[in-house]
Structures are given as C-alpha cells and as structure tokens.
Amino acid sequence: MDVENAVILFSLVSGVTGIAYGVYLGFWVLRQEAGNETMQKIALAIQEGASAYLKRQYRTVGMVAIVMFFILLLVFDLLTAMGFLVGAVASATAGFVGMVIAVRANVRTAHAASSGLKPALNVAFRGGAVTGLLLIGLGLVALAGFYAIAKGIAGPEKAVHALISLGFGGSLISVFARVGGGIFTKAADIGADLVGKIEAGIPEDDPRNPAVIADNVGDNVGDCAGMAADLFETYAVTIVAAMVLAFSLFPGQIEPVLYPLVLGGVTIFATILGTLFVKVGPDGAIMSALYKGLFVSGGLAAVAFYPVTTSMLDGIGGVSGVSYFFAALIGLVVTLALVFITDYYTSTRYSPVQEIVKASETGHATNIIAGLAVGMQSTTWPVVVIGAGILASFFLCGGAEQGGLYGVAVAAVSMLSMAGIIVAIDAFGPITDNAGGIAEMSKLGPNIRKITDALDAVGNTTKAVTKGYAIGSAGLAAIVLFAEYARVARGGSQVIDFNLSNPLILVGLFLGGMLPFIFGSLCMKAVGQAGGLVVEEVRRQFREIKGIMEGTGKPEYGTCVDIVTKAALRKMLVPGLIPVIAPILVGFILGPAALGGVLVGSIVTGLFLAIMMTGGGGAWDNAKKLIEEQGKKGTELHKAAVTGDTVGDPFKDTAGPAINPMIKVMNIVALLIIPLIVSH
C-alpha cells in the first residue's frame, strides 16, 4: 500500500474511532438516571425548545446553502459544489448531535449531584466529550473521505481546490450558528436577568421567571451547538489550508499534503485517552480535573507527533523533520498558553475579576469602566503568544524559504488537532449551567445545589477559556489562508503590488479593519433589540398573570422561547452574509490587491476585537458569580455586577465568538474566487 492510501485509510479509521467512542459516551449518558418527574418535565421543555430552534435555524440556513450550492455549481463545477455540501452537512451534524446529548446530560448531571461531586462531574464531562469527539471524528472522515473520492474523480489539483469549498461549507454553517445561537442565548439571558434579578429580585433560574426556559435553551444552542460548529469549521479549514498550501509549495510531493490528516488522526487517539483522566482528586478541584485531561491529551499528542513528523517531512523544503516537529510543539504550547492566559483574565481566583468586583462597590458605571479596561488589557498576551508562535514556527522551518510558511501551517494544524478535548471542556459549561437551573427550578436540596453551583462556576470559566482558544486558533488559521491567497494572487499574469505604498492596499486595510466592527455592532444591536422584546414580555406576564410571584400562577415559558427564536432567525441573516459578500464585491470592484488588504485588516482588528469582547465579557460574568458566592445577592453591589454581566453577555457569547468564523469565511471566499479575479 502506498503512502497516500495508507494515510487516507489511517485518517478514516481514526475518524470513525472518534465517532464510535463519542456514540458510546452518548449512550452511556442516556443510560444514567434522569431524576424525578419535575426535573424531567423541565428538561423536556429545554430539549424541545433547543431542537425546535436548531431545526428552524438549519432550515433557514439550508435555503442559503442551496442557493450557494447552485452558484458554486454554475461558477465552478459539481465537485466544488459537492465539497461545499459535505462541509455544511458535517458541521451542522456535529453541532446538532452534540446539542441533543447536552440537553439530556443536564438533567442527569443534576440528578447525579445527589450522589456527590464525582458522579456529577463524570456525567457532565462525558456529555461534553460527545460533542468534542464527534467534531474531530466527523471532520477527519469528511476531509479524508472527500479528498480520496475527489482525487479519484478529477485528480489531485481539482481535489485540493474542492477541499477549499468543503471548508467554505463548514464556515457558512458556523457563522450562522454562532450569530443565530448567540442572539438567541443572550437575548433570553438579558431578558431573564433584567426583569427577574434586578426588577423582581428573584434568583437566577427561578421557575417564576417566564424567560428561564428560553435562557436554558440558549445555553445549548449558543455555547454548545454554536461552539461545535465554530471549532468544526476552524478544524476543517486549518487542515484544508495546510493541505492547499503544501500542494502549492511542494509540487509533486504528497507527504506534506497528507501530513495534516495524520496529525488529526493521531490526536483523536490522544483525546480519547485524555478523557479517561478527567477525575476529581481528593481536594475536589474541578478545574484541575478538567486540565488533567487536557494535559494528558496534549502530552500524548506531542510524543506521537515526533515519529510521524520526522518520517513524513524530513527534507521537505530543505528543512529537517525535527524542525517541523518543533513547529508542531509550538502549536501545542500556544494552545496551553492561551488557555492559561484566558483563565487568568476570567477566573474568580485572579486580580482582573477581583478588580471588577471592587469597582462594583461604587456603582454600575465604575463596573462597566473596569470591565472594559480588563477586556482591552486581555488582548495583550494572547497576541504576543500568537505572534511569537508565528515567528518561531516560521524561522524554525526555513524562514523566507518555502518551509517557513509551511511551518506556520504545521503549528496551526497542531493547535487545532486539540479541538476535541477543548470542545469537551467547553460543552461541559452549558451542561452544568443547565444542571444548576434544573436543580433550582426543581427545588432540590441545598447540598445538591452546592455541587451544581460549583460545577457551574467552573463551567463559566471553561466557556471563556475555550473561546480564547477558538479566537487564537482562528487567527493562525486565517494567516495560513491569507498566505495561500497571496501566493495564488502573485502567481497570476497580473503584477500585483502588495506594498503599503499601493493606495489599493491601504483602502483595503481600512475596509477590512472596519468589517469586524460593523459585524460586531449588528450582532450587539440584534441582542439588544431581541432582549428588549423579552423584557417587555416578562414584564407583561408578571403584570397580567395572577399568582406568578406567589408560585400559584404558571408563566408562559413558550412565548419567550418563540420570541427569541423568531428574532434570532430574522436578525442573523445580514451579519451572516457580510463575510461572504464583502470579499466578492471588493475583489471584483477594486481587485485582488485591495482584497488582500481587506483580509489583513479584518484579521488584525478582528483578532483584537474578539479577544477584548470575550475576555471582558467573561470577567464581568465571573465578577457577578464571585459576588454571589460571597452571599451578597440582591445588594447594590450585586445589581451593579448584574449590569456589567448583562453588557458582557453579548460581548462574550454573541459578537466576540462570531468574529472567528467571520474572519475565516472572508479568507475562504477570497481563496475560492481568486482564480476568477486574477487572469492567468
């Protein structure tokens, strides 16, 4: 068996193994006890709301995808159009199936808490691991399988180009899932908090709050399905970008083209083994238990990378296999660094969050000022780490020679190969959040609520940490995509000047720098408007339905779910189409040089804006949590923190995370259309 067939077979086996283990964990979760009748009724309402929303979202996005399929068919060919379809279906499947398990793991986590912290953590983490394993398993099967089929039909060059459209399919689903899910979850959350906590003075997840079910639904469609689609897309796009770049840089050499698939396959096995080490120690430290799984997965991957890299890449581009191995290690180091940096800025254990708590003592305005300051400050070290990773991997692998760019791609693929365990830790967050809500609404005992609160507090931090990872990986992936765009653009018969003295480049930089702000503002405005509708509805129900506050009247939960569903689907279309339309307009009107400027401008401002929003939003959220842990609910201090959290919610869960796929969609679209706007 030749190298190519062996790699494809290994990739398919690895991907199927990841999917199979994910399915096994899913069935294990479903076999756990689901609690009493009240808990099951609440969980069923969350399940129905989440499934109904995602089905309507995918139906809406499906219509856009069908139009895009026929456009690609007419402009390119059937293979390119089919690649788009495969990427879109795989991304949607990863998000939907993961969410289906998450909304069933929540009630089982709440019930397991009656037996202690260890069983509850086990259920919550395994529920999240289903999403992570499905993501990397489906991603690798889709990429390796489609490449093999496309190569057999049309040859290697067209197969590689068709892979770009596969990445585009995943990207399109991702941006809509992030925007739509983010609008849903934060509109419901804001409506529940502003009227419930501040105006009515009732606890979070109180069953008297009409928006409480919508809030719990939102945790799943935003933080679970949305994050899964986001990281599936980043995972697929990064592997595709590395394969396309290798095909261009090293013609006739198949090993560097296939190497990203091997890294992905190796890390699936490392991830499966890593999940087995997530166990609470004698000290009961939940975050340490999760980090054990991350460290074991990363350590095993690092060990396995050495023989794979040195055997496949030695001498490629005049660079030793050991140098490429160190580039892969840099990707793993960047992953760990971003996790710890985000943890520092968003965890209750460190000074940034504690400074926001202190600022809340003097009111709402000082809380907002402190949160914005923390968000801005949180951009520094991630950008330094990403920059250092790019430079180190570039110069380790030959610098300006061909191997340098490929070294950056290797670091990016290595970083994204960890997506499975990262998503498992992320999906743990919405599961534990829902478990706490179900425990509150079911009026379970204080001992159970203490465990679910502890899990929820850690889940809050893990959601922020994984968003930091997602943004950093998106930055690296976008740079690899841009490198290929610039190479293709320069390869045309036109003389393209990428010098900053070219006014087209400067105009492109300004336009690209503007786009993440316009995109983010539309997302924020959508959350504010939809949240306002929920506020009005919750106030109406408190006013008109007799006995709600006394517990004798039943709130109309479904009305709030319906309001945010319609608002999210209506308002996600315009921001979702911006990254598709903008590069097409700039490319055909101003040309490839200006489009190159747009891509660079969007990467730079998008990276800073996304980190600022997610870092600041996570810090605001945990500042509120820390005040609640101190027993100060209902105080003026707490009300100021709730205001900050309300502002930070669309920052960290809507606009900030959605900028990741937005940047990559723009780069993928540019890479797809560059042959059309550069004459060869």
Side-chain angles (χ1 to χ4, degrees):
M1 186 183 292
D2 61 21
V3 172
E4 188 170 23
N5 288 331
V7 167
I8 289 171
L9 180 61
F10 172 72
S11 302
L12 291 172
V13 169
S14 302
V16 170
T17 302
I19 294 169
Y21 190 63
V23 170
Y24 161 74
L25 290 181
F27 280 114
W28 182 89
V29 168
L30 294 177
R31 287 199 301 270
Q32 307 308 302
E33 288 291 327
N36 60 42
E37 187 178 346
T38 303
M39 294 167 67
Q40 291 182 40
K41 280 184 180 178
I42 295 165
L44 183 61
I46 296 169
Q47 292 165 27
E48 289 174 347
S51 295
Y53 171 75
L54 272 194
K55 285 174 183 174
R56 288 172 69 172
Q57 176 180 274
Y58 286 153
R59 198 158 54 236
T60 304
V61 177
M63 290 187 282
V64 177
I66 289 169
V67 173
M68 201 62 65
F69 173 85
F70 284 108
I71 290 173
L72 291 171
L73 180 62
L74 292 172
V75 174
F76 296 103
D77 51 37
L78 179 61
L79 198 61
T80 303
M82 287 304 299
F84 170 81
L85 202 60
V86 169
V89 170
S91 179
T93 302
F96 189 81
V97 176
M99 186 276 299
V100 165
I101 298 299
V103 295
R104 286 158 177 79
N106 52 17
V107 67
R108 288 163 173 82
T109 300
H111 178 73
S114 61
S115 302
L117 176 61
K118 289 182 180 180
L121 172 67
N122 206 20
V123 174
F125 177 75
R126 288 191 172 196
V130 173
T131 307
L133 288 161
L134 283 175
L135 182 151
I136 54 178
L138 279 169
L140 203 57
V141 167
L143 288 165
F146 182 75
Y147 172 77
I149 293 169
K151 183 176 179 293
I153 294 172
E157 185 172 354
K158 287 194 173 181
V160 169
H161 186 268
L163 279 177
I164 298 172
S165 68
L166 187 151
F168 178 42
S171 297
L172 190 71
I173 292 295
S174 169
V175 74
F176 281 115
R178 263 304 189 194
V179 174
I183 293 170
F184 186 109
T185 182
K186 291 303 106 180
D189 197 1
I190 287 170
D193 281 357
L194 287 180
V195 186
K197 286 185 179 179
I198 294 180
E199 294 182 11
I202 58 178
E204 187 173 6
D205 296 318
D206 193 297
R208 293 172 291 179
N209 193 327
V212 72
I213 294 295
D215 186 9
N216 280 278
V217 169
D219 291 331
N220 294 285
V221 299
D223 283 325
C224 187
M227 174 60 89
D230 182 0
L231 277 176
F232 174 91
E233 171 259 344
T234 308
Y235 178 82
V237 163
T238 305
I239 291 177
V240 166
M243 293 176 72
V244 172
L245 190 64
F247 187 82
S248 302
L249 292 176
F250 312 115
Q253 294 179 284
I254 197 63
E255 287 84 357
V257 177
L258 299 174
Y259 172 75
L261 295 175
V262 178
L263 277 197
V266 163
T267 315
I268 285 179
F269 293 106
T271 299
I272 291 172
L273 292 172
T275 61
L276 303 177
F277 285 82
V278 177
K279 295 176 182 176
V280 179
D283 58 353
I286 300 167
M287 187 63 88
S288 298
L290 297 173
Y291 279 162
K292 270 189 285 187
L294 178 64
F295 293 148
V296 169
S297 296
L300 291 173
V303 171
F305 284 175
Y306 182 79
V308 167
T309 308
T310 52
S311 63
M312 291 189 72
L313 298 184
D314 194 40
I316 297 294
V319 178
S320 70
V322 174
S323 295
Y324 285 120
F325 168 68
F326 280 120
L329 288 188
I330 286 168
L332 297 179
V333 170
V334 170
T335 297
L336 294 177
L338 290 178
V339 165
F340 285 122
I341 290 167
T342 313
D343 187 31
Y344 171 75
Y345 281 105
T346 57
S347 173
T348 56
R349 297 170 296 179
Y350 303 112
S351 60
V353 168
Q354 293 165 7
E355 287 169 6
I356 297 175
V357 172
K358 180 69 176 173
S360 303
E361 294 174 0
T362 48
H364 300 248
T366 46
N367 171 284
I368 299 296
I369 292 168
L372 287 172
V374 167
M376 293 176 187
Q377 187 183 346
S378 70
T379 62
T380 306
W381 285 110
V383 171
V384 169
V385 166
I386 293 167
I390 291 168
L391 291 176
S393 55
F394 182 76
F395 287 111
L396 261 176
C397 299
E401 300 301 320
Q402 290 179 330
L405 277 179
Y406 189 66
V408 177
V410 168
V413 171
S414 169
M415 185 176 180
L416 262 299
S417 71
M418 299 295 293
I421 191 70
I422 294 288
V423 170
I425 293 171
D426 175 79
F428 169 88
I431 290 171
T432 55
D433 193 346
N434 273 199
I438 291 169
E440 176 76 32
M441 287 184 276
S442 304
K443 296 181 170 55
L444 300 182
N447 290 338
I448 294 175
R449 187 67 219 227
K450 184 179 179 181
I451 290 172
T452 58
D453 281 349
L455 291 168
D456 183 21
V458 171
N460 212 42
T461 301
T462 63
K463 287 187 288 186
V465 163
T466 49
K467 287 184 180 79
Y469 164 84
I471 293 164
S473 60
L476 271 181
I479 286 164
V480 175
L481 287 166
F482 175 75
E484 176 60 11
Y485 170 85
R487 194 207 61 76
V488 174
R490 285 199 185 98
S493 59
Q494 300 176 19
V495 177
I496 297 174
D497 181 13
F498 279 115
N499 192 298
L500 286 178
S501 62
N502 183 346
L504 286 171
I505 292 287
L506 290 173
V507 170
L509 286 170
F510 283 127
L511 291 174
M514 169 199 72
L515 286 173
F517 286 90
I518 292 293
F519 180 86
S521 73
L522 289 172
C523 294
M524 294 285 289
K525 184 186 278 189
V527 171
Q529 291 172 347
L533 295 175
V534 178
V535 166
E536 291 172 4
E537 174 59 23
V538 173
R539 285 174 178 167
R540 181 195 70 79
Q541 292 196 33
F542 279 150
R543 189 173 58 247
E544 296 179 6
I545 299 176
K546 304 297 182 186
I548 282 187
M549 295 305 292
E550 294 75 24
T552 56
K554 185 178 179 182
E556 297 170 356
Y557 300 119
T559 308
C560 290
V561 173
D562 195 51
I563 286 171
V564 285
T565 297
K566 289 177 180 175
L569 294 176
R570 188 172 63 251
K571 294 179 183 297
M572 74 177 181
L573 289 173
V574 173
L577 289 173
I578 284 176
V580 177
I581 294 171
I584 294 173
L585 291 177
V586 172
F588 283 100
I589 295 172
L590 297 180
L595 180 52
V598 165
L599 299 180
V600 173
S602 67
I603 292 169
V604 173
T605 63
L607 190 64
F608 278 98
L609 191 60
I611 294 172
M612 189 273 284
M613 285 181 159
T614 53
W620 263 317
D621 195 351
N622 270 342
K624 179 201 70 175
K625 284 279 196 300
L626 182 57
I627 289 169
E628 290 173 348
E629 288 171 11
Q630 294 169 349
K632 297 176 182 177
K633 284 186 181 180
T635 62
E636 290 303 314
L637 174 71
H638 182 241
K639 288 179 181 178
V642 170
T643 299
D645 178 38
T646 303
V647 173
D649 272 341
F651 266 44
K652 70 180 174 64
D653 290 327
T654 309
I659 289 172
N660 305 343
M662 178 241 178
I663 294 169
K664 295 191 294 295
V665 168
M666 289 181 63
N667 279 270
I668 280 280
V669 171
L671 203 51
L672 265 178
I673 66 171
I674 187 65
L676 304 177
I677 57 177
V678 176
S679 58
H680 290 272

